[in-house]
Amino acid sequence: MRDTDHNKEILIIGGGIAGLSTGIYAQKNGYQATILEMHDKPGGQLTAWVRNGYRFDYCLHWLVGTDHGTFNDIWWETGALDEDTIVINHDTRVKIKDEVHGDFYIYNDLDQWEAYLIDMAPEDQTAIEKMCQMMRDSDRLDQFEDAPGLRGISDYFQQVVSAGTFLLTLFRYGKKTTQELVDHLGFKNEKLLNFFHTFFGGQDFSAMGFLMMLGWAHAKNAGYLQGGSFEMAQRIERKFQGLGGKFLFNHRVIEILVENDRAIGVKLADGTVLKADYVISACDGHTALYEMLKAQYLPAQIKQAYDTWPLFSPLVMIGFGINDQIISECHSMSYIRKESRMIGRTPVREYSIWNRSMYDEVFAPAGKTTLLMQFESPWELWEHMEGTEYLDEKEAIRKAAIALLEEQYPGISNKIETIDIATPKTTVRYTGVYKGAYEGFLPSKDVLNGLPMELEGLENFMMVGQWLFPGGGLPPSAQSGKWAIQKLVNQEQKDFVVM
């Protein structure tokens, strides 16, 4: 691989959004980047697959940065957004049907949602108005453009100025949970308290995450990209390869090679050794640290994170191809049952069904519909399941999922043409993500700060991707790729190029 007459070479482990971003900025800044991807297609968890003409999308429902801000810049720079990309901003975020407390809507338009909440709970008008105003203000808080360690005083000053009044909210609730925020604002209405607790109160969900998520949507800065995950990944791959980047599919890395505390290359599963000037891990963080680097160069901060920080619970996704045009009450429906119901071995009280064919024609043939059902299922249930036991569990899920779907859409069973089930084992098999935690570490009041991109004592190596940032997701993953190349360019005392 090495060519002394060529630009410095970078090996990037993983072809998900972080690896693709890293590769694009590397090519723009004069490096020769090669992405090593264990799967046969780009995107990592930004993926979708087709079964009998129906497309089942694993990832993209909404994307921060579709209209403005630092993330928006990154999407244009990486090709995720282009002149032909259509952004859809839904009026309604989700309709919730609770067997005990009735229906509840979350609207993306905060003016509409505020009026809806006040009508439901007039006794909480003051608390509702304060909360919704915090959400509106949250869109003013943008992300830093430059990597940690490369920011000046002026960058921090600009951050303070742009945040405006939301800075006070950040100081007051930055380390609070959503439940603590709701309690502090003094909500009283029982139905409202129930929905806040059910949807945002569990697992110490961050108050900032709650406020900013709905603030972005209100500002039309968290829309859906028509075409979904597959089309977005394809656009970014074309950008990377158009810049001269190399993509090697079906290349699984098993070891990061180190000499004299310097990363010099990688070893593949088939024994092949590839060398380069830099190695950047854009794959699963736990795999890179504990397997590829054999737990060497492991700082206490990172070890503590993987030992103690909570993870997102894995998901089971059932895709239905329906031989009919189905119009749902809302494109995104969440159901909360009075009692848990067994879906296979998983007790399920909450589940969701998306009708993505209502707003994007790529998901089903004309006159037909793709429905996606999803619920959480703990990794411990799946970790050691193999062979016949695994197949039997998928069959049990199939039967139970059809029964649930029939409850919501009577008569639909006879119209099902295709069923596809993706389990936590599926996610791990195709992406390598640790314990099936699709977005890494769960953000909470005690888990907000990111992990370092560089490992003390190991040169010419960096990590990028969602495992560096509690809450994970596509935007910080892509941003970390940009930051990695900023750091390399700074080390070599060159000017960073984005276009």
Side-chain angles (χ1 to χ4, degrees):
M1 278 191 62
R2 292 172 65 83
D3 183 347
T4 55
D5 295 327
H6 204 282
N7 295 338
K8 287 188 176 181
E9 297 189 14
I10 301 175
L11 286 175
I12 301 168
I13 307 170
I17 188 69
L20 285 164
S21 172
T22 305
I24 287 170
Y25 289 109
Q27 291 299 129
K28 289 184 176 187
N29 284 274
Y31 299 96
Q32 178 57 55
T34 299
I35 295 177
L36 306 170
E37 168 56 44
M38 70 178 190
H39 198 21
D40 61 1
K41 59 175 63 71
Q45 293 188 87
L46 182 67
T47 192
W49 53 91
V50 176
R51 298 288 185 268
N52 300 322
Y54 296 93
R55 183 183 294 185
F56 302 125
D57 195 309
Y58 181 77
C59 180
L60 191 64
H61 295 283
W62 52 279
L63 181 70
V64 180
T66 52
D67 185 75
H68 55 270
T70 299
F71 289 145
N72 183 256
D73 293 340
I74 291 172
W75 299 138
W76 282 96
E77 291 160 9
T78 59
L81 287 174
D82 60 25
E83 296 295 342
D84 297 322
T85 308
I86 296 175
V87 178
I88 298 172
N89 292 291
H90 297 295
D91 294 329
T92 305
R93 185 178 193 86
V94 62
K95 180 179 180 180
I96 304 163
K97 295 182 73 70
D98 188 317
E99 288 186 347
V100 175
H101 295 89
D103 295 348
F104 184 77
Y105 286 89
I106 298 179
Y107 296 107
N108 285 325
D109 184 327
L110 286 174
D111 297 335
Q112 182 181 7
W113 199 43
E114 182 179 283
Y116 166 76
L117 294 177
I118 291 173
D119 184 63
M120 176 190 297
E123 68 271 32
D124 288 330
Q125 179 172 347
T126 299
I128 292 167
E129 290 174 345
K130 286 182 179 178
M131 178 187 71
C132 289
Q133 189 57 49
M134 290 178 194
M135 291 174 176
R136 295 184 187 94
D137 292 343
S138 71
D139 184 59
R140 300 183 60 178
L141 183 66
D142 201 3
Q143 305 298 312
F144 284 106
E145 181 178 344
D146 294 331
L150 303 182
R151 302 165 190 160
I153 294 176
S154 61
D155 296 309
Y156 290 97
F157 178 75
Q158 180 59 40
Q159 188 82 340
V160 170
V161 171
S162 63
T165 56
F166 188 69
L167 195 63
L168 297 175
T169 301
L170 186 63
F171 282 132
R172 179 173 293 177
Y173 300 109
K175 293 188 176 182
K176 300 291 186 182
T177 66
T178 299
Q179 190 62 53
E180 288 171 335
L181 167 69
V182 169
D183 291 343
H184 187 266
L185 290 175
F187 281 92
K188 305 178 186 69
N189 183 273
E190 182 179 349
K191 182 175 181 178
L192 206 50
L193 285 170
N194 171 73
F195 283 113
F196 283 141
H197 176 74
T198 300
F199 258 71
F200 304 106
Q203 297 182 305
D204 291 336
F205 191 84
S206 163
M208 288 298 101
F210 168 63
L211 294 173
M212 297 178 73
M213 176 174 61
L214 295 175
W216 290 324
H218 174 73
K220 299 189 184 304
N221 198 30
Y224 165 78
L225 306 189
Q226 193 171 66
S229 297
F230 181 79
E231 302 294 342
M232 179 178 172
Q234 291 291 310
R235 285 193 297 272
I236 302 174
E237 182 199 16
R238 288 195 297 270
K239 182 78 169 184
F240 172 62
Q241 294 192 331
L243 291 167
K246 300 176 183 178
F247 224 128
L248 299 179
F249 295 107
N250 299 306
H251 281 57
R252 181 187 292 269
V253 175
I254 62 170
E255 183 180 354
I256 296 168
L257 303 176
V258 178
E259 286 185 3
N260 300 319
D261 296 325
R262 181 185 299 266
I264 62 166
V266 302
K267 183 178 180 180
L268 304 181
D270 65 2
T272 301
V273 170
L274 304 175
K275 292 191 176 182
D277 299 286
Y278 299 101
V279 176
I280 296 179
S281 170
C283 64
D284 174 68
H286 190 274
T287 301
L289 291 162
Y290 286 85
E291 297 180 25
M292 296 178 187
L293 283 170
K294 300 178 174 61
Q296 300 179 37
Y297 309 102
L298 188 64
Q301 179 188 6
I302 292 180
K303 185 178 186 305
Q304 181 188 22
Y306 281 98
D307 286 346
T308 65
W309 286 6
L311 306 178
F312 275 87
S313 180
L315 299 172
V316 173
M317 187 180 84
I318 307 102
F320 297 93
I322 310 297
N323 185 19
D324 195 5
Q325 188 169 5
I326 306 297
I327 305 299
S328 305
E329 296 177 70
C330 179
H331 66 92
S332 175
M333 300 288 298
S334 288
Y335 301 90
I336 304 174
R337 305 181 66 90
K338 182 178 181 180
E339 304 290 342
S340 294
R341 177 166 175 172
M342 299 303 295
I343 304 183
R345 302 183 188 183
T346 305
V348 176
R349 184 168 175 262
E350 302 171 27
Y351 64 96
S352 299
I353 299 177
W354 286 279
N355 185 345
R356 308 192 70 174
S357 300
M358 287 178 63
Y359 57 87
D360 197 336
E361 63 184 13
V362 303
F363 291 111
K368 300 185 178 185
T369 303
T370 291
L371 297 177
L372 294 178
M373 180 183 294
Q374 199 171 74
F375 60 89
E376 294 183 351
S377 184
W379 174 245
E380 292 72 21
L381 187 154
W382 296 92
E383 185 173 6
H384 303 294
M385 197 184 299
E386 302 289 348
T388 302
E389 182 185 16
Y390 179 68
L391 295 177
D392 289 345
E393 178 65 11
K394 289 184 71 173
E395 176 61 17
I397 290 172
R398 185 188 70 84
K399 291 178 179 178
I402 291 174
L404 275 182
L405 195 66
E406 182 70 25
E407 289 180 8
Q408 307 305 330
Y409 299 91
I412 202 170
S413 301
N414 296 326
K415 301 175 183 179
I416 297 174
E417 289 189 322
T418 298
I419 299 178
D420 187 83
I421 301 173
T423 74
K425 296 280 277 193
T426 311
T427 306
V428 172
R429 183 166 66 252
Y430 283 101
T431 70
V433 65
Y434 181 53
K435 294 188 175 181
Y438 60 99
E439 283 192 309
F441 297 115
L442 190 74
S444 69
K445 66 175 184 178
D446 298 317
V447 180
L448 286 175
N449 296 324
L451 297 176
M453 300 174 67
E454 297 158 295
L455 301 179
E456 186 175 350
L458 181 59
E459 298 183 19
N460 293 4
F461 174 79
M462 267 190 277
M463 296 185 297
V464 297
Q466 66 178 13
W467 286 98
L468 300 177
F469 312 96
L474 299 174
S477 296
Q479 185 179 52
S480 68
K482 183 177 184 178
W483 283 355
I485 303 305
Q486 283 181 336
K487 284 177 171 285
L488 289 188
V489 166
N490 182 69
Q491 290 173 15
E492 297 182 1
Q493 299 181 331
K494 299 190 299 184
D495 292 329
F496 181 70
V497 177
V498 296
M499 303 304 291

